[in-house]
């Protein structure tokens, strides 16, 4: 055979191998329901006794204008009434935006900023809750709640409760979206700045870190240093889109590196072009050294399957493999979808979910600055339930997890993972068009996925 012929065959073989690898990387693995728990949407806790009176009720500023009449404004999800009204008496147990399984089988869950923005969340407290979770015995019970506070004034900007001794933090100060527990510290990935926050196990802030990418500080429009321009011709400069800061944050197996993951692609130039490869946006996984307390400058790329997608959570399962939730913005079930050309969409779902996946990815120091490898995924819209464990109606014979935001995933053992939604109370209704979402947790058997190396 001629050298030219051999070269041609080699190219074909290489192409076939690359195509096979791509297909294998995108392979779907089965997800079987092993447990299902529900915490009712209207679950509330009282603010601490030493909290300012303004925190006894929450949601007074959601509309932008102060409203002190409890339960006077019904929540809506894309125009659909959800049946739950605010302001609330107490603080809602909602907005679960990060989960961590402890060695004793209990779990910590993180609550995010409240109503979604700095302006409308000054009376929502920030906290983590320790849960007793037992799928076999139907337990989804809060054990202990710790509220974030900053009595030592580590946060370098003015906060809502500046003039108090405890200085409880609120949703107008920070938006915590991810966390890890290392020794006796909690490390929180924050979305507004974005910032990295260290607290003790009682929620007291110990340290605060700005975000650096390629040796430079990056900021969103909500970073504390930003100021509105004084004239229409002046521009504000930032690299992180609003609400696209740290959404997931993993911890390596040696527990000496954090991997904060941005929810949105960075803007890479003055023309507002996102960072992308061949028009496919990628998100940066950054690296923070816990020993030296510095950003190392190392990063990896997480390529989105579609540019409008977002990630929901990120946890390592060993030194080089991790679970990442990737999702679209759809919500709802097909049985209650709006018929074509329906003008009245107040009692049906106009934008059904099409993409709710958990990817198993792999990365290490050999591919700094390059794409993580997507080893495979499970489809949260295609959960098998042969033992009929689902506590909500199944859709076309399978359980779907059709929520707008799915922001919790962690490994349980070598066969199972746990997954949870962020119910955005009272603003998400994904199972019933006019009923606010509960807080749900599902236990999935995904042995075949976890065996991928």
């Amino acid at each position: 055979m001629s050298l030219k012929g051999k070269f041609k065959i080699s190219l074909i073989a290489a192409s076939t191998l690359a195509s096979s690898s791509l297909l294998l990387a995108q392979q779907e693995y089965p997800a079987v329901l092993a447990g299902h728990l529900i915490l009712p949407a209207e679950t509330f806790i009282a603010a601490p006794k030493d909290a300012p009176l303004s925190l006894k009720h929450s949601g007074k500023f959601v509309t932008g204008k102060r409203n002190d009449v409890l339960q006077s404004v019904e929540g809506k999800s894309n125009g659909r009434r959800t049946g739950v009204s605010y302001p609330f008496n107490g603080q809602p147990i909602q907005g679960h935006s990060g989960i961590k399984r402890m060695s004793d089988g209990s779990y910590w869950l993180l609550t995010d900023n409240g109503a979604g923005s700095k302006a409308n969340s000054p009376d929502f407290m920030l906290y983590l809750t320790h849960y007793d979770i037992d799928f076999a015995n139907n337990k989804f019970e809060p054990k202990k709640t710790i509220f974030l506070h900053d009595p030592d004034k580590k946060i370098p900007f003015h906060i809502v409760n500046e003039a108090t001794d405890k200085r409880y933090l609120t949703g107008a100060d920070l938006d915590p979206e991810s966390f890890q527990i290392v020794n006796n510290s909690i490390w929180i990935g924050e979305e507004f700045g974005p910032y990295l926050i260290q607290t003790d196990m009682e929620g007291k802030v110990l340290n605060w870190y700005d975000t650096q990418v390629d040796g430079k500080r990056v900021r969103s429009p909500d970073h504390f240093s930003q100021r509105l321009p004084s004239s229409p011709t002046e521009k504000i400069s930032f690299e992180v889109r609003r609400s696209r800061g740290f959404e997931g944050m993993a911890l390596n197996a040696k527990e000496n590196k954090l991997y904060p993951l941005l929810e949105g692609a960075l803007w890479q130039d003055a023309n507002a072009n996102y960072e992308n490869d061949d028009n496919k946006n990628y998100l940066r996984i950054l690296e923070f050294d816990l020993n030296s307390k510095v950003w190392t400058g190392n990063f990896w790329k997480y390529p989105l399957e579609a540019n409008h997608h977002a990630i929901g959570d990120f946890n390592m399962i060993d030194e080089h493999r991790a679970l990442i939730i990737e999702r679209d913005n759809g919500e709802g079930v097909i049985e209650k979808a709006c018929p074509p050309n329906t003008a009245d969409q107040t009692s049906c779902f106009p934008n059904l979910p099409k993409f709710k996946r958990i990817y198993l990815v792999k990365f290490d120091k050999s591919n700094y600055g390059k794409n993580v490898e997507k080893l495979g995924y499970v489809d949260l819209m295609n959960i098998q339930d042969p033992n009929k464990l689902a506590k909500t109606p199944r859709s076309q014979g399978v359980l779907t997890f059709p929520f707008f935001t799915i922001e919790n995933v962690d490994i349980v053992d070598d066969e199972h993972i746990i997954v949870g939604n962020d119910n955005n109370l009272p603003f998400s209704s994904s199972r019933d068009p006019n009923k606010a979402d509960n807080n749900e947790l599902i236990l999935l058997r995904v042995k075949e996925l976890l065996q991928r190396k």
Side-chain angles (χ1 to χ4, degrees):
M1 184 181 294
S2 68
L3 181 61
K4 182 177 180 181
K6 289 181 180 179
F7 181 65
K8 183 176 181 180
I9 290 176
S10 297
L11 284 177
I12 294 173
S15 176
T16 302
L17 180 61
S19 298
S20 299
S21 298
L22 181 62
L23 289 173
L24 184 61
Q26 292 297 302
Q27 181 176 344
E28 178 182 348
Y29 289 87
V32 179
L33 188 67
H36 194 177
L37 295 175
I38 294 176
L39 187 69
E42 293 185 86
T43 302
F44 301 91
I45 57 174
K49 293 181 179 179
D50 61 349
L53 288 176
S54 62
L55 300 180
K56 303 301 180 182
H57 303 142
S58 54
K60 298 185 293 294
F61 302 92
V62 170
T63 63
K65 183 180 180 180
R66 185 186 189 98
N67 173 24
D68 290 304
V69 182
L70 297 183
Q71 299 181 326
S72 59
V73 182
E74 187 174 0
K76 291 184 179 181
S77 178
N78 291 318
R80 306 187 307 272
R81 295 180 179 275
T82 66
V84 175
S85 299
Y86 57 89
F88 304 123
N89 182 18
Q91 296 287 331
I93 295 282
Q94 62 89 34
H96 288 157
S97 296
I99 190 169
K100 194 64 182 177
R101 184 180 187 274
M102 308 306 291
S103 59
D104 64 358
S106 63
Y107 292 82
W108 282 92
L109 280 158
L110 173 70
T111 291
D112 62 18
N113 91 307
S117 74
K118 292 171 70 73
N120 65 10
S121 302
D123 54 8
F124 284 95
M125 301 188 74
L126 306 181
Y127 56 88
L128 295 96
T129 303
H130 196 193
Y131 284 90
D132 182 6
I133 292 172
D134 185 343
F135 287 95
N137 294 298
N138 197 34
K139 284 187 177 181
F140 188 177
E141 300 174 355
K143 297 172 59 177
K144 177 184 179 180
T145 296
I146 59 171
F147 294 89
L148 302 188
H149 55 287
D150 184 28
D152 298 332
K153 300 181 180 178
K154 297 293 184 179
I155 301 295
F157 50 86
H158 186 277
I159 66 172
V160 169
N161 294 307
E162 184 73 33
T164 65
D165 292 333
K166 196 69 172 279
R167 301 179 83 243
Y168 284 109
L169 295 171
T170 73
D173 305 317
L174 301 172
D175 184 8
E177 294 284 353
S178 51
F179 76 104
Q180 293 293 336
I181 298 175
V182 186
N183 297 323
N184 292 317
S185 288
I186 303 172
W187 290 85
I188 296 171
E190 194 274 344
E191 195 165 43
F192 284 157
Y195 315 119
L196 187 60
I197 311 291
Q198 180 189 11
T199 79
D200 66 14
M201 290 304 297
E202 296 301 320
K204 183 178 77 169
V205 176
L206 302 176
N207 286 298
W208 164 92
Y209 300 89
D210 234 331
T211 300
Q212 290 191 2
V213 172
D214 297 336
K216 300 178 181 178
R217 181 174 69 168
V218 295
R219 304 176 300 171
S220 84
D222 292 319
H223 190 278
F224 77 92
S225 67
Q226 299 282 22
R227 299 292 183 272
L228 288 174
S230 59
S231 72
T233 59
E234 297 177 4
K235 293 183 179 181
I236 183 173
S237 177
F238 52 91
E239 301 77 25
V240 181
R241 180 181 164 190
R242 172 170 283 132
S243 192
R244 290 297 183 267
F246 295 137
E247 184 67 35
M249 184 171 67
L251 173 70
N252 70 340
K254 295 178 181 178
E255 297 193 349
N256 61 1
K257 297 286 196 307
L258 289 172
Y259 300 131
L261 171 58
L262 293 166
E263 186 177 12
L266 294 174
W267 277 312
Q268 64 180 356
D269 56 40
N271 295 319
N273 292 314
Y274 291 113
E275 289 189 326
N276 69 85
D277 291 325
D278 297 325
N279 295 318
K280 193 172 187 178
N281 291 351
Y282 63 80
L283 313 180
R284 289 205 185 208
I285 299 174
L286 307 181
E287 185 180 66
F288 184 85
D289 187 279
L290 286 170
N291 293 325
S292 59
K293 305 294 192 300
V294 297
W295 299 97
T296 67
N298 299 323
F299 75 96
W300 296 266
K301 300 176 182 179
Y302 178 83
L304 294 169
E305 295 302 306
N307 288 345
H308 65 278
H309 286 178
I311 67 98
D313 200 11
F314 174 33
N315 264 312
M316 304 298 296
I317 66 171
D318 57 30
E319 186 62 25
H320 302 303
R321 296 182 304 150
L323 300 168
I324 295 180
I325 299 171
E326 183 176 344
R327 61 168 181 82
D328 61 16
N329 289 327
E331 63 178 349
V333 295
I334 193 169
E335 290 82 0
K336 299 180 180 180
C338 295
N341 303 316
T342 300
D344 182 4
Q345 300 179 348
T346 58
S347 298
C348 59
F349 293 115
N351 180 30
L352 291 177
K354 299 179 179 65
F355 195 103
K356 309 287 184 181
R357 293 180 181 179
I358 296 177
Y359 276 94
L360 178 66
V361 304
K362 183 178 181 180
F363 60 97
D364 56 37
K365 64 181 181 181
S366 70
N367 64 332
Y368 285 147
K370 299 178 181 178
N371 285 349
V372 301
E373 182 182 0
K374 289 186 170 180
L375 299 174
Y377 67 89
V378 293
D379 185 356
L380 297 179
M381 298 302 294
N382 184 31
I383 301 169
Q384 304 305 307
D385 184 20
N387 297 316
K388 298 182 179 180
L389 299 175
K391 295 187 176 179
T392 56
R394 296 186 294 178
S395 179
Q396 296 187 326
V398 301
L399 175 68
T400 63
F401 215 56
F403 299 103
F404 172 50
T405 45
I406 304 170
E407 299 191 356
N408 308 274
V409 65
D410 200 8
I411 189 167
V412 175
D413 55 39
D414 59 2
E415 294 188 7
H416 297 88
I417 61 174
I418 189 169
V419 182
N421 66 315
D422 173 356
N423 69 335
N424 302 302
L425 189 76
F427 303 114
S428 283
S429 57
S430 304
R431 292 205 181 277
D432 185 301
N434 299 116
K435 185 177 181 180
D437 288 331
N438 296 314
N439 297 286
E440 296 190 25
L441 289 176
I442 50 175
L443 182 68
L444 299 180
R445 184 184 181 278
V446 293
K447 181 178 180 181
E448 292 81 0
L449 177 71
L450 296 178
Q451 287 177 336
R452 283 279 285 135
K453 301 293 184 180

